[in-house]
Amino acid sequence: PAQCCSARAAGGGRLSAVGNSRAHGTIMAAAETGLEGVGASAGPRPDAATQRAELLPLLGVALRPGESWFLIDSRWFKQWKKYVGFDSWDLYNVGEPNLYPGPIDNSGLFADSEAQTLKEHLIDELDYVLVPTEAWNKLVNWYGCIEGQQPIVRKVVEYGMFVKHCKVEVYLLELKLCQNSDPANLVSSYFSKADTVAAIEKETRKLFNIPADKEIRLWSRYMSNTYEQLSKLDSTIQDAGLYQGQVMLVEVKNEDGTWPRQSSLAKSSTATRSLTTSSKSPASSCSSIVASSTMTNGDSNNSYGLTCSSLGKGGSSFSCNSFNNRESPPQTQPGLCGLSNLGNTCFMNSALQCLSNTPPLTDYFLEDKYEAEINQDNPLGMRGEIAEAYAELIKQMWSGRHSHVAPRMFKTQVGRFAPQFSGYQQQDSQELLAFLLDGLHEDLNRVKKKPYLELKDANGRPDVVVAKEAWENHQLRNDSIIVDIFHGLFKSTLVCPKCSKVSVTFDPFCYLTLPLPLKKDRPMDVFLVFADPQRRPTQYRVVVPMMGAVSDLCDALSKLSSIPVENMMVTDVYNHRFHKIFQMDEGLSHIMPKDNIFVSHDVQPH
């Protein structure tokens, strides 16, 4: 079979994005992965039974991080399964010429057949199937590919810290690259989350024709005016916390050995932060903040230096430089600090602001009381890393030096232990708050070894005695600042319908999920048309019960206009015509807010 660039390999190589003008879902270059495809023609093909025997075990292999898998249009794959009788119940037409699938054709997956960009919202098994590299090579060897089509190859990415799971990254991550000299000229490029920062650097040099002997620095922009340097080239894009659509800026070193950013920072207010990623973990915390402010000729120059510390066992340290091009006041009110939206992270920011403004909890972290209570050995905890990350974020928010901070490192830590929060999709704020409270509790649990306890029933004892016993038992296994502030007891009473025995228990809770209160009333605007033709119609706003009837509307209008209810007729006027006449017992739920309701005053009572 024809091979891409005369290269062939069973395992596949590094996955990198090709080109800079394709939308997300861009095809990977087969030339860089050393895999067959790109209009390959068919070679000798074994019989149907051999094809089934060779592909059946390959299609059942488990996903492994870093492996390359291929997308095949489900229509072609289903046709192939019929042709070889892959399913035991479909062996009647094996080998029939009219069932021959022909060369592999993925044109149904493309939104643009020329650029070969994937359609959005494709569904696994419905629109496409995933096959490993060896299975792909066999199919290409037997059937070939449509001329000019690039194979759709994707990498397997691993998610999660404790509960790990793998999935094929069908849609790639879009990063917008630009040069420091021309930051407005953004060029989109696409990468796998398993790619390294070095891959971004390589693509950046290629896009902007930067020679290999020129020293460059990469900066990620996570706010409109703030950048962080990516100095750990072997860190993956996922570990670096980069997200969809993030702007990446490349800075080329000047001939005199200086950096362009340094010269610009010398003229303006700056904030500098050092960040170095270790290979063990993508998370970090900053343990100290040093601020200085100088006033020269009326110009205020502020600089902040953040020194980062490791997070204990399994933690990591970051060393980065970040800077802020906008002047900010040297001091702000402690706690009056915003949280930057990193991309659909308002759910997290709202929960963090609620906890930040819980005085007993915030004082506990600001006074470093948590350090003596971190429980790194708790199997239900997170080695104290969530508590450390939260503590450092609270210290930044309450330092009085920042009007806003970007909680990127905290989010990265949360994503390591709770993969459902690792991306940049919208999430439920209450779920994040529940995870955070539970994580802080287990990380700060003062109980090192939890005893076994047997629950006792009330047996007629007073509630005060039963509740005190339940609380003491709860604290024997759960004792932390979270328990002190947030935990309480539910009283649960069960009555047996047969013997009428009453069972009373007190169950611990941390938070209550309550429905939002429903409005009982609604305002309505109505026009009252008087029987006297000399009086102009008057608009009234009345307040009626949400689930009330038309009679309630008339009662409310009668109090304002002094017209008896029995002399009113309620109508709906649409397009200058009477659309409907309402009966007194009809529900107000049939009347929409935009309806034009006219109430006629009739001298003759109804």
Side-chain angles (χ1 to χ4, degrees), residues 75-206:
R75 291 179 299 176
W76 186 93
F77 195 72
K78 288 177 182 177
Q79 190 71 12
W80 171 81
K81 290 172 71 174
K82 287 184 178 181
Y83 181 67
V84 301
F86 189 82
D87 297 312
S88 58
W89 46 266
D90 196 9
L91 299 173
Y92 304 104
N93 299 313
V94 174
E96 287 290 333
N98 63 321
L99 294 178
Y100 180 70
I104 298 175
D105 183 6
N106 284 330
S107 57
L109 301 180
F110 299 139
D112 184 343
S113 56
E114 289 187 7
Q116 296 189 12
T117 56
L118 287 184
K119 294 178 180 177
E120 295 185 355
H121 313 302
L122 294 176
I123 301 173
D124 188 15
E125 299 294 339
L126 180 63
D127 300 306
Y128 64 87
V129 293
L130 292 164
V131 299
T133 298
E134 190 175 352
W136 168 262
N137 285 340
K138 288 182 180 294
L139 289 172
V140 171
N141 191 15
W142 299 336
Y143 296 94
C145 290
I146 291 292
E147 186 67 32
Q149 272 193 14
Q150 293 275 4
I152 311 174
V153 54
R154 294 292 186 263
K155 263 193 175 178
V156 177
V157 179
E158 186 178 59
Y159 295 87
M161 181 65 181
F162 294 121
V163 181
K164 297 182 181 295
H165 65 280
C166 296
K167 67 178 180 179
V168 178
E169 186 182 28
V170 174
Y171 291 101
L172 303 178
L173 187 74
E174 178 191 13
L175 298 178
K176 297 181 179 179
L177 309 180
C178 65
Q179 294 177 281
N180 180 63
S181 58
D182 188 13
N185 182 24
L186 300 176
V187 181
S188 294
S189 194
Y190 299 85
F191 300 87
S192 165
K193 291 180 181 178
D195 280 337
T196 61
V197 175
I200 304 177
E201 183 178 290
K202 180 180 177 181
E203 181 71 9
T204 304
R205 288 184 181 273
K206 176 182 174 183

Side-chain angles (χ1 to χ4, degrees), residues 540-553:
Y540 288 89
R541 169 163 287 192
V542 296
V543 178
V544 296
M546 183 69 72
M547 303 305 294
V550 172
S551 58
D552 296 312
L553 168 63

Side-chain angles (χ1 to χ4, degrees), residues 62-76:
L63 298 176
R64 288 195 291 268
E67 286 186 341
S68 297
W69 283 59
F70 289 76
L71 277 72
I72 298 179
D73 192 315
S74 287
R75 291 179 299 176
W76 186 93

Side-chain angles (χ1 to χ4, degrees), residues 469-489:
E469 180 184 80
W471 183 250
E472 290 174 349
N473 288 339
H474 179 61
Q475 287 191 308
L476 289 176
R477 294 175 57 86
N478 303 276
D479 186 15
S480 69
I481 184 66
I482 303 300
V483 174
D484 297 342
I485 300 174
F486 296 100
H487 283 209
L489 294 175

Side-chain angles (χ1 to χ4, degrees), residues 40-53:
S41 57
R45 185 169 55 254
D47 58 34
T50 304
Q51 292 184 48
R52 292 197 306 268

Side-chain angles (χ1 to χ4, degrees), residues 10 14 29 169 242 303 307 324 359 380 468 490 586:
R14 188 187 64 77
E169 186 182 28
L242 303 182
S303 63
T307 308
N324 191 322
L380 299 178
K468 182 180 179 182
F490 272 131
E586 284 192 65

